[in-house]
Amino acid sequence: MIKLGIIGAGRIGRVHTESISNYVPNAEIKAIADPFFAEKGKKWAAEMGIENIYLDYHKILNDSEIEAVLICSSTDTHAQISIEAAKAGKNIFCEKPIDHDLSKIKEVLAAVKKAGVKFQVGFNRRFDHNFKAVKEAVLAGKIGDPHIINITSRDPEAPPVEYVKVSGGIFLDMTIHDFDMVRYLSGSEVEEVYAAGAVLVDPAIGKVGDIDTAIITMKLKNGALAVIDNSREAAYGYDQRAEVFGSKGAVRVENDSQSTAVLSTADGVAAEKPLYFFLERYLQSFADEIKEFVLAVEKDLAVPVNGEDGLKPVLIGLAAAKSLKENRPVKLSEIK
Amino acid sequence: MIKLGIIGAGRIGRVHTESISNYVPNAEIKAIADPFFAEKGKKWAAEMGIENIYLDYHKILNDSEIEAVLICSSTDTHAQISIEAAKAGKNIFCEKPIDHDLSKIKEVLAAVKKAGVKFQVGFNRRFDHNFKAVKEAVLAGKIGDPHIINITSRDPEAPPVEYVKVSGGIFLDMTIHDFDMVRYLSGSEVEEVYAAGAVLVDPAIGKVGDIDTAIITMKLKNGALAVIDNSREAAYGYDQRAEVFGSKGAVRVENDSQSTAVLSTADGVAAEKPLYFFLERYLQSFADEIKEFVLAVEKDLAVPVNGEDGLKPVLIGLAAAKSLKENRPVKLSEIK
Amino acid sequence: MIKLGIIGAGRIGRVHTESISNYVPNAEIKAIADPFFAEKGKKWAAEMGIENIYLDYHKILNDSEIEAVLICSSTDTHAQISIEAAKAGKNIFCEKPIDHDLSKIKEVLAAVKKAGVKFQVGFNRRFDHNFKAVKEAVLAGKIGDPHIINITSRDPEAPPVEYVKVSGGIFLDMTIHDFDMVRYLSGSEVEEVYAAGAVLVDPAIGKVGDIDTAIITMKLKNGALAVIDNSREAAYGYDQRAEVFGSKGAVRVENDSQSTAVLSTADGVAAEKPLYFFLERYLQSFADEIKEFVLAVEKDLAVPVNGEDGLKPVLIGLAAAKSLKENRPVKLSEIK
Amino acid sequence: MIKLGIIGAGRIGRVHTESISNYVPNAEIKAIADPFFAEKGKKWAAEMGIENIYLDYHKILNDSEIEAVLICSSTDTHAQISIEAAKAGKNIFCEKPIDHDLSKIKEVLAAVKKAGVKFQVGFNRRFDHNFKAVKEAVLAGKIGDPHIINITSRDPEAPPVEYVKVSGGIFLDMTIHDFDMVRYLSGSEVEEVYAAGAVLVDPAIGKVGDIDTAIITMKLKNGALAVIDNSREAAYGYDQRAEVFGSKGAVRVENDSQSTAVLSTADGVAAEKPLYFFLERYLQSFADEIKEFVLAVEKDLAVPVNGEDGLKPVLIGLAAAKSLKENRPVKLSEIK
């Protein structure tokens, strides 16, 4: 039984807490810390059966029984807490992105390396049943050499402008998952990015300097091309599709929905909308990524999504932002 | 927190034990009993965190803290244990079928009534996301008045002949779920049954007096017609589809599979097979039926699948067996 | 170039005339006859480029240049015209059903045999791209030995009661195509039929002694079971699906629609309804059956749907009618 | 009855000839001309019932009975023949592209304008049932304002290098249809293009200076973004899909195949590949574009795809070629 500490009890912290309780039998959450814990939050944590509820995460770092921490706090605190946790000898599961700043990410990776602890990044979609099926088909050689990776990724509702302001921009906040997916599905690295963007959903997003609609084209090291299309708001819900096309064929995945029910009437033939958003669609993946993290800690295995995997999508995101600003393709080697 | 006892630690007993642990937060399994418990089984139960592991289920019935029992033992013991449990004042969740014998079922229902305890029958498919979606569409009037209920229900592999011998025959063992589904989806009662059957999968099944392939037609009280087609062995896996056709349209559900992946190659366009069998396909439904049972106990509500719902499919199954034997339509009123 | 005469210029006569003009290059319609030709009909025939427009079909039978006739007149005239045409040495394409009366059908088959002319029956669905694909999969052994044939066949709109009255009943008018499909897809013969029926669409249909909703179960010579579900009115349009399930798997076909367009909005995910009715759905099949008939005449080949194929579905239909009336399974051997 | 002349009896000339014979009742092909007519070709034309078979197309231009010509010759001759035909007062249906050279296209458009004749360009996909359904959904406002147009267009087999050499490059030969589709589906104009390309299918294509794999991103006047992904070779056949995503939802179309048959076996669930190539997939559209052209001539209506529609995709193609060469986004205003 691995004892865990959760740092950050916001939405994603709670998702992890609940999925660990339900689905990760060989892990136990010994403590949870959040500087903003109100009564309601503490009550929730107590109901989840967590023994130690702290405001200060250092108490977790100082608890020698705790072997691993999940860093679920706000993005701007990921780097510092990660470094402290590494120094404290804790194995680390860090939510994405590690940071918006490359130098900070590199500091984290250096600290982790020095401490010799595990460091996994929260790219949960790699654990989704659909994307895993695509990956497996590609690995099994069923589509031959990848030529085109095509990802459609659209959120069901634009976030509030207050969120957008501190989000780091669409590429680091939303597309970062898709950049990871391009790397994961292609088995290759991005060399150059061209981003076209527009403000079509909410003018307020434009006013704070961000975009809400984008098409991002990438050239990969293995010669393949990749394209992502993003929207902050799809009226029909969370749209999460992907296709890898190659020399021998293509494999693609469609959205999941609540049931397979099809209703045929005089009005037409109707199916259900996709599952609403990431909590519904990726529920199982949140459990599965932690399961594999815990297994890596327990058996001293390599983590399935490492520090490099955390760094690279940030690099691509920064290149995309630069491309959008300068309206030209940007090589990743330009990003320092 | 409701304390539960599990009676019977075979396959279905374990399914319930595990799903209660993972998904039913307000219930705790205090004890489990099985006369055939070997070391391995006891070890499993201990690992599941069950405090009391018995050979004799009477110890469960005698434990005054235990409010409800799940009867997961072999079918021939359901009736007796149910009656004893009722007398002991336990609320009862009983696996299907209650019994193969009508008079015994009636005794159970009488005992339950007298004791004033809850009695729910394990028709888990009513809690499946797909069938619930059909039911909801019907209830919402989306297809108008039901005219035809069409159910395809095929197992992935014929059971061993030893199992078939004691199964009560295909209608009471396998089709019974489909008979329940006809009642559930139509919101009506079966009046007359005609069953055509054949031995096409395994001649050994025929030798022990059973069939492996069947088409069963039913006339319902509301005037609608229903049809079920069954096979003990579908090469592609567990085939669980249903359609309700009515005056305003039709709603139907398809099989679930592990992913939505579609592979297109020179050989064709390929999707995944259905989820393999009932444990994979109906996993969530096993948890959900217990959740609702626990809720009914906790809040003193009506159970969602009651004794009558347990009785009726047995009646239909007996009528189907008589119809097959006599090769004529049989009215339910003929079955005593 | 084969010269043809069309006898009967109602709906189906016109369908054949037009599809021959467009799609059957090696045939020419030399004459058309209809006792009810009004000015409008004659004008249409002239516009179609038909040289000879008659009220009396005997003029066609007497034209020695005409090698083959299409009998598209009302069902009650099929037998007599077929016999006369056979005596006149014409090759015959006769619309289904040959007759409602077995003895008349047998007379026709005898006359045809004696005259040594070709005789093809208009079971056009055998030429439909979907049903042909099922047949080919079965023939190729892809599903192994057939165990269950499952046909859903529903019309978009109930016919007027005046039509129902003279239709011969649902089994000879509508289900007859499905009976043919059972024979075609199974490659076997029906031995016994059980029909359950109801009047759920239009009470007026019941008043003239017919039904509008039916489930028909059949036992086949090769041991397989078959089931057809029929409705005279599906709110969403013409529903024409089939599945053959066997020892190695199943093959099924869905409806066709005008486009593959799928619309996803806040209301759900919507596709198009099936093509409206038989003229839309089976358009190409009407041309293809005539193409093969003309080829058989030209090259002296066996016709693809012969007199036996015309007789058998009538036998099954009569057995179904008897089964419905007597509420019992009826063997085909009982029908004389 | 409109009398037509066909100029060019290669593959596309024959497609038009045959579809006019079968499906365009109010047009008659009076003459066909091809300088390379061999005996076999002449025989085919005679069998098609064409009275006048010429080597020299001027004979068609000089025939005062012929009201309209279809220019189906090689691309490098389209401009000159169009200009001559306009001067001869013929209405013109010209295959795409009009020319690879902008100035020549402009000469054609000027000549056509001066002569006051109809001029339609052969973008047949606008008449495809699937793409029309998308267009109609967009026009009906079902998806709101278009935000993203996403087109997948892949050929089943790379053309021979000899063809590639004279094709004008992938953008003018293959993508040109997709550029037209972007304009057609969005109802807007392209302002800027960025093209990423690769040689992944056949190195020989790279050696003659072309590419075989491409992703082209476009910014449109209405603010929307569009993306096309192209491959010269999809192992599974002709891949022709499109989606328009907008403020209220999305509409997309999938490939067509020969039947809806789905085969389920122990190996998986298999459907048919897409229809092989453009002749199979777009057969009906070739007839329908001519029907509308003939109607425009007959009734003096505007043609559905005019000279401007012929010019614009060439402009976009030239911009894409420049973008690929210079690896930067190129505005259409840069192309002179």
Side-chain angles (χ1 to χ4, degrees):
Chain A
M1 184 70 71
I2 300 287
K3 299 205 181 211
L4 302 175
I6 309 262
I7 298 173
R11 186 169 58 177
I12 193 69
R14 292 178 186 213
V15 167
H16 284 305
T17 300
E18 293 179 11
S19 71
I20 289 166
S21 301
N22 287 334
Y23 302 101
V24 188
N26 51 338
E28 183 199 317
I29 302 171
K30 187 182 174 194
I32 188 164
D34 195 308
F36 304 109
F37 254 141
E39 278 321 298
K40 207 175 144 190
K42 285 182 183 170
K43 202 181 150 211
W44 163 83
E47 280 169 6
M48 291 306 300
I50 303 177
E51 214 176 318
N52 305 288
I53 301 167
Y54 305 130
L55 295 179
D56 182 358
Y57 68 84
H58 293 95
K59 290 192 178 163
I60 288 178
L61 300 188
N62 293 334
D63 182 335
S64 62
E65 259 192 12
I66 291 178
E67 283 185 66
V69 295
L70 276 69
I71 302 177
C72 306
S73 52
S74 64
T75 298
D76 58 321
T77 67
H78 287 174
Q80 193 194 324
I81 300 177
S82 291
I83 292 168
E84 290 181 56
K87 284 183 182 159
K90 304 302 182 204
N91 294 295
I92 300 164
F93 177 94
C94 181
E95 268 307 319
K96 59 98 242 177
I98 306 179
D99 200 284
H100 298 153
D101 186 290
L102 274 188
S103 59
K104 281 194 180 174
I105 298 176
K106 285 174 184 170
E107 275 177 56
V108 170
L109 301 194
V112 160
K113 196 177 171 187
K114 195 175 162 196
V117 296
K118 309 279 179 204
F119 185 79
Q120 182 172 331
V121 179
F123 284 121
N124 61 293
R125 291 188 198 168
R126 292 188 178 210
F127 301 86
D128 174 66
H129 61 132
N130 284 343
F131 293 118
K132 272 169 68 178
V134 174
K135 175 70 174 175
E136 281 159 19
V138 172
L139 278 182
K142 290 186 180 172
I143 61 120
D145 299 321
H147 290 180
I148 297 172
I149 290 94
N150 202 327
I151 292 174
T152 289
S153 175
R154 301 168 188 157
D155 282 355
E157 258 188 300
V161 163
E162 291 313 305
Y163 174 89
V164 171
K165 267 187 198 168
V166 298
S167 69
I170 192 171
F171 299 130
L172 290 182
D173 180 57
M174 178 180 169
T175 327
I176 194 162
H177 275 297
D178 308 313
F179 292 140
D180 178 59
M181 200 43 66
V182 166
R183 292 182 69 241
Y184 175 65
L185 296 181
S186 69
S188 184
E189 296 294 342
V190 172
E191 287 200 321
E192 191 181 298
V193 181
Y194 171 74
V199 179
L200 298 170
V201 171
D202 182 355
I205 290 175
K207 278 182 195 149
V208 299
D210 204 352
I211 57 169
D212 52 36
T213 305
I215 290 171
I216 307 105
T217 304
M218 281 146 284
K219 295 175 186 163
L220 309 188
K221 232 170 213 152
N222 64 3
L225 305 176
V227 64
I228 295 164
D229 77 82
N230 280 158
S231 171
R232 281 288 197 181
E233 190 161 310
Y236 50 86
Y238 199 37
D239 197 345
Q240 298 281 294
R241 290 174 283 154
E243 183 187 58
V244 183
F245 167 80
S247 54
K248 289 186 185 166
V251 57
R252 65 169 170 154
V253 283
E254 297 293 322
N255 290 308
D256 286 344
S257 50
Q258 177 57 28
S259 83
T260 62
V262 170
L263 178 70
S264 298
T265 68
D267 293 332
V269 175
E272 293 194 27
K273 288 189 286 186
L275 289 172
Y276 183 64
F277 208 172
F278 67 97
L279 291 181
E280 291 82 9
R281 164 64 189 266
Y282 291 122
L283 188 61
Q284 194 61 43
S285 75
F286 288 117
D288 288 347
E289 64 178 353
I290 302 300
K291 260 190 203 168
E292 292 218 21
F293 171 66
V294 166
L295 189 75
V297 169
E298 226 177 20
K299 309 279 186 199
D300 194 18
L301 304 170
V303 293
V305 193
N306 62 26
E308 183 85 356
D309 296 322
L311 171 65
K312 286 288 171 65
V314 176
L315 263 175
I316 308 171
L318 294 171
K322 191 176 180 70
S323 169
L324 182 74
K325 199 173 160 198
E326 303 181 5
N327 196 28
R328 63 172 184 90
V330 169
K331 289 207 177 334
L332 255 66
S333 56
E334 297 182 46
I335 307 301
K336 308 288 174 190
Chain B
M1 184 71 70
I2 301 288
K3 299 204 183 213
L4 303 175
I6 310 263
I7 297 172
R11 187 168 59 176
I12 193 68
R14 292 177 188 215
V15 166
H16 284 305
T17 300
E18 293 180 12
S19 72
I20 289 167
S21 301
N22 287 334
Y23 302 102
V24 188
N26 51 339
E28 184 198 317
I29 303 170
K30 189 182 172 192
I32 187 163
D34 195 308
F36 306 109
F37 254 141
E39 279 320 298
K40 208 174 143 191
K42 285 184 182 169
K43 202 181 151 211
W44 163 82
E47 278 168 6
M48 291 306 300
I50 303 177
E51 216 174 318
N52 305 288
I53 302 167
Y54 305 130
L55 294 178
D56 182 357
Y57 67 85
H58 293 94
K59 291 192 178 164
I60 288 179
L61 300 187
N62 293 335
D63 182 336
S64 64
E65 258 192 12
I66 291 177
E67 283 185 67
V69 295
L70 276 69
I71 301 176
C72 306
S73 51
S74 63
T75 298
D76 58 321
T77 68
H78 287 176
Q80 191 194 324
I81 301 178
S82 290
I83 292 168
E84 290 181 55
K87 285 182 181 159
K90 304 304 181 201
N91 294 294
I92 299 163
F93 177 95
C94 181
E95 268 307 319
K96 60 98 237 178
I98 306 179
D99 201 284
H100 298 155
D101 186 289
L102 273 188
S103 60
K104 281 195 180 175
I105 298 176
K106 286 173 185 171
E107 276 178 56
V108 170
L109 300 193
V112 160
K113 197 177 171 187
K114 194 175 164 196
V117 296
K118 309 280 177 204
F119 185 79
Q120 182 172 330
V121 179
F123 284 122
N124 62 292
R125 291 188 196 168
R126 291 188 178 211
F127 302 86
D128 174 65
H129 62 132
N130 284 344
F131 293 118
K132 273 170 69 179
V134 173
K135 175 70 174 176
E136 281 159 19
V138 173
L139 279 181
K142 289 186 179 171
I143 61 121
D145 299 322
H147 290 180
I148 297 171
I149 290 91
N150 202 326
I151 291 175
T152 289
S153 175
R154 302 169 188 155
D155 282 354
E157 259 187 300
V161 164
E162 292 313 305
Y163 175 90
V164 171
K165 269 187 197 169
V166 298
S167 69
I170 193 170
F171 299 130
L172 290 183
D173 180 57
M174 177 178 169
T175 326
I176 194 162
H177 275 295
D178 307 313
F179 293 139
D180 178 60
M181 200 44 63
V182 166
R183 292 181 69 241
Y184 175 64
L185 296 182
S186 69
S188 186
E189 295 295 344
V190 171
E191 287 201 321
E192 190 181 298
V193 181
Y194 171 74
V199 180
L200 299 170
V201 171
D202 182 356
I205 290 175
K207 278 181 195 151
V208 298
D210 204 354
I211 56 169
D212 53 36
T213 304
I215 291 171
I216 307 107
T217 303
M218 282 147 283
K219 296 177 187 163
L220 308 188
K221 231 168 213 153
N222 65 3
L225 305 176
V227 64
I228 295 164
D229 76 81
N230 280 159
S231 171
R232 281 287 196 183
E233 189 159 310
Y236 49 87
Y238 199 37
D239 197 345
Q240 296 283 295
R241 290 175 283 154
E243 183 187 60
V244 183
F245 168 80
S247 55
K248 290 186 183 167
V251 58
R252 64 168 170 154
V253 283
E254 298 292 323
N255 291 307
D256 287 344
S257 51
Q258 177 56 27
S259 83
T260 62
V262 171
L263 177 70
S264 298
T265 66
D267 293 332
V269 174
E272 293 193 25
K273 288 189 286 186
L275 289 172
Y276 182 64
F277 207 173
F278 67 96
L279 291 181
E280 292 82 9
R281 163 62 188 268
Y282 290 122
L283 186 63
Q284 193 62 42
S285 76
F286 289 116
D288 288 348
E289 65 177 353
I290 302 300
K291 263 191 200 168
E292 293 217 24
F293 172 65
V294 166
L295 190 75
V297 170
E298 223 177 24
K299 310 280 187 198
D300 194 17
L301 304 170
V303 293
V305 193
N306 61 27
E308 182 85 356
D309 296 321
L311 171 64
K312 286 289 171 66
V314 175
L315 264 175
I316 307 171
L318 294 171
K322 191 177 180 69
S323 169
L324 183 74
K325 198 173 161 198
E326 303 180 6
N327 195 28
R328 64 172 182 91
V330 170
K331 288 208 178 332
L332 256 66
S333 56
E334 298 181 45
I335 308 300
K336 307 288 174 188
Chain C
M1 185 70 72
I2 300 287
K3 299 205 181 210
L4 303 174
I6 310 261
I7 297 172
R11 188 170 58 176
I12 194 67
R14 291 178 187 212
V15 166
H16 284 306
T17 300
E18 293 180 12
S19 71
I20 290 166
S21 302
N22 287 332
Y23 303 101
V24 188
N26 50 339
E28 184 197 319
I29 302 170
K30 190 182 172 192
I32 187 164
D34 194 307
F36 305 109
F37 256 140
E39 279 319 298
K40 208 176 142 192
K42 286 182 181 170
K43 202 182 149 211
W44 163 82
E47 279 169 7
M48 290 307 300
I50 302 176
E51 216 175 316
N52 305 289
I53 301 168
Y54 306 129
L55 294 178
D56 181 357
Y57 68 85
H58 293 95
K59 290 191 178 165
I60 287 179
L61 300 187
N62 294 333
D63 183 335
S64 63
E65 258 192 12
I66 291 178
E67 283 185 66
V69 295
L70 277 68
I71 301 176
C72 307
S73 51
S74 63
T75 297
D76 58 320
T77 68
H78 287 175
Q80 191 193 328
I81 300 178
S82 290
I83 292 167
E84 290 182 56
K87 285 182 182 159
K90 304 302 181 203
N91 295 294
I92 299 163
F93 177 95
C94 181
E95 268 307 319
K96 59 98 243 181
I98 305 178
D99 202 282
H100 298 156
D101 186 289
L102 274 188
S103 60
K104 281 195 178 176
I105 297 176
K106 286 173 184 171
E107 277 178 56
V108 170
L109 301 194
V112 160
K113 195 176 173 189
K114 193 174 165 197
V117 297
K118 310 280 178 202
F119 184 78
Q120 182 172 331
V121 180
F123 284 123
N124 61 293
R125 291 187 198 169
R126 293 188 177 210
F127 302 86
D128 175 65
H129 61 132
N130 284 344
F131 294 118
K132 272 169 69 178
V134 174
K135 175 70 174 175
E136 281 159 18
V138 174
L139 279 181
K142 289 185 181 173
I143 60 121
D145 298 322
H147 290 181
I148 298 172
I149 290 92
N150 201 327
I151 291 174
T152 288
S153 174
R154 302 169 188 157
D155 281 355
E157 259 187 300
V161 164
E162 292 313 307
Y163 174 89
V164 171
K165 268 186 200 169
V166 298
S167 68
I170 192 170
F171 299 129
L172 289 182
D173 180 55
M174 178 178 168
T175 326
I176 194 163
H177 275 296
D178 308 313
F179 293 138
D180 178 58
M181 199 45 64
V182 166
R183 293 182 68 242
Y184 176 63
L185 296 181
S186 69
S188 185
E189 295 294 343
V190 172
E191 286 201 322
E192 190 181 298
V193 181
Y194 171 73
V199 179
L200 299 170
V201 171
D202 183 356
I205 290 175
K207 277 181 195 151
V208 299
D210 204 352
I211 55 169
D212 52 37
T213 305
I215 290 173
I216 306 105
T217 303
M218 281 147 284
K219 295 176 187 164
L220 309 188
K221 232 171 214 153
N222 63 4
L225 305 175
V227 63
I228 295 164
D229 76 82
N230 280 159
S231 171
R232 281 288 197 182
E233 189 159 311
Y236 49 87
Y238 199 37
D239 197 346
Q240 296 282 293
R241 290 174 282 154
E243 183 187 58
V244 183
F245 168 80
S247 54
K248 289 186 184 167
V251 58
R252 64 169 171 154
V253 283
E254 297 292 322
N255 290 308
D256 287 344
S257 51
Q258 178 56 29
S259 83
T260 63
V262 171
L263 178 70
S264 298
T265 67
D267 294 333
V269 174
E272 293 193 27
K273 287 189 286 186
L275 288 172
Y276 183 64
F277 209 173
F278 67 95
L279 290 181
E280 292 81 8
R281 163 65 189 265
Y282 291 122
L283 187 62
Q284 194 63 41
S285 75
F286 289 116
D288 289 347
E289 65 177 352
I290 302 301
K291 261 190 201 166
E292 292 216 24
F293 172 65
V294 167
L295 189 74
V297 170
E298 225 178 20
K299 310 278 187 198
D300 195 17
L301 305 170
V303 292
V305 193
N306 61 28
E308 182 85 356
D309 296 320
L311 169 66
K312 286 287 171 67
V314 175
L315 263 175
I316 308 171
L318 293 170
K322 190 177 182 68
S323 168
L324 182 75
K325 199 174 160 198
E326 304 180 5
N327 195 28
R328 64 172 184 90
V330 171
K331 289 208 178 334
L332 255 66
S333 57
E334 297 183 44
I335 307 301
K336 310 286 176 188
Chain D
M1 185 68 73
I2 301 286
K3 298 203 182 211
L4 303 174
I6 309 264
I7 297 172
R11 187 169 59 176
I12 193 68
R14 291 178 187 211
V15 167
H16 285 305
T17 299
E18 292 180 11
S19 70
I20 289 167
S21 302
N22 287 333
Y23 302 102
V24 189
N26 52 339
E28 183 198 318
I29 302 170
K30 189 182 172 193
I32 187 164
D34 195 308
F36 305 108
F37 254 141
E39 278 321 297
K40 206 175 146 191
K42 285 183 182 170
K43 202 182 151 210
W44 162 82
E47 279 168 7
M48 290 307 300
I50 303 175
E51 213 176 320
N52 305 288
I53 300 167
Y54 306 130
L55 294 178
D56 182 358
Y57 67 86
H58 293 95
K59 290 192 178 164
I60 287 178
L61 300 187
N62 292 334
D63 182 335
S64 62
E65 258 192 13
I66 291 176
E67 283 185 68
V69 295
L70 276 68
I71 302 176
C72 306
S73 52
S74 62
T75 298
D76 59 320
T77 67
H78 288 175
Q80 191 194 325
I81 301 178
S82 290
I83 291 168
E84 290 181 56
K87 284 183 183 158
K90 303 304 182 204
N91 295 294
I92 298 163
F93 176 94
C94 181
E95 268 307 319
K96 59 99 239 178
I98 307 179
D99 201 283
H100 299 155
D101 185 292
L102 273 188
S103 60
K104 280 194 178 174
I105 297 176
K106 286 172 183 170
E107 275 178 57
V108 169
L109 301 194
V112 160
K113 196 176 172 187
K114 194 173 162 197
V117 296
K118 309 281 179 204
F119 185 79
Q120 181 172 332
V121 178
F123 284 122
N124 62 293
R125 291 189 197 168
R126 293 187 178 210
F127 302 85
D128 174 66
H129 62 131
N130 283 344
F131 294 117
K132 274 170 68 176
V134 174
K135 175 71 175 176
E136 280 158 20
V138 173
L139 279 181
K142 289 186 180 172
I143 60 122
D145 298 322
H147 290 181
I148 297 171
I149 290 92
N150 201 327
I151 292 174
T152 288
S153 176
R154 302 168 189 158
D155 282 355
E157 259 188 300
V161 164
E162 292 313 305
Y163 174 90
V164 171
K165 267 187 198 169
V166 298
S167 69
I170 192 172
F171 299 129
L172 290 182
D173 180 57
M174 178 179 169
T175 327
I176 194 161
H177 275 296
D178 308 313
F179 292 138
D180 178 60
M181 200 43 64
V182 167
R183 294 181 68 240
Y184 175 64
L185 296 181
S186 70
S188 185
E189 295 293 344
V190 172
E191 286 201 323
E192 192 181 296
V193 181
Y194 171 74
V199 180
L200 299 170
V201 172
D202 182 355
I205 290 175
K207 278 182 194 149
V208 300
D210 204 352
I211 56 170
D212 52 36
T213 305
I215 291 171
I216 306 107
T217 304
M218 283 147 282
K219 295 176 185 164
L220 309 187
K221 231 170 215 153
N222 64 3
L225 304 175
V227 63
I228 295 164
D229 76 83
N230 280 158
S231 170
R232 281 289 197 183
E233 190 160 310
Y236 48 87
Y238 199 36
D239 197 346
Q240 297 281 293
R241 291 175 283 154
E243 183 188 57
V244 183
F245 168 80
S247 54
K248 289 187 184 166
V251 58
R252 66 170 170 152
V253 283
E254 298 292 323
N255 290 308
D256 287 345
S257 51
Q258 178 56 28
S259 84
T260 63
V262 171
L263 178 70
S264 298
T265 66
D267 293 332
V269 175
E272 292 193 26
K273 288 189 286 185
L275 290 172
Y276 183 63
F277 208 174
F278 68 96
L279 290 181
E280 291 82 8
R281 163 65 188 264
Y282 291 122
L283 187 63
Q284 194 62 42
S285 76
F286 289 116
D288 288 346
E289 65 177 354
I290 302 300
K291 262 189 199 166
E292 292 217 24
F293 171 66
V294 166
L295 189 75
V297 169
E298 223 176 25
K299 309 281 187 196
D300 194 16
L301 304 170
V303 292
V305 192
N306 61 27
E308 184 84 357
D309 296 322
L311 170 65
K312 285 288 171 66
V314 175
L315 263 174
I316 306 171
L318 294 171
K322 191 177 180 69
S323 169
L324 182 74
K325 199 175 159 197
E326 303 181 6
N327 195 28
R328 65 174 183 89
V330 169
K331 289 206 177 335
L332 255 67
S333 57
E334 297 182 45
I335 307 301
K336 308 289 176 189

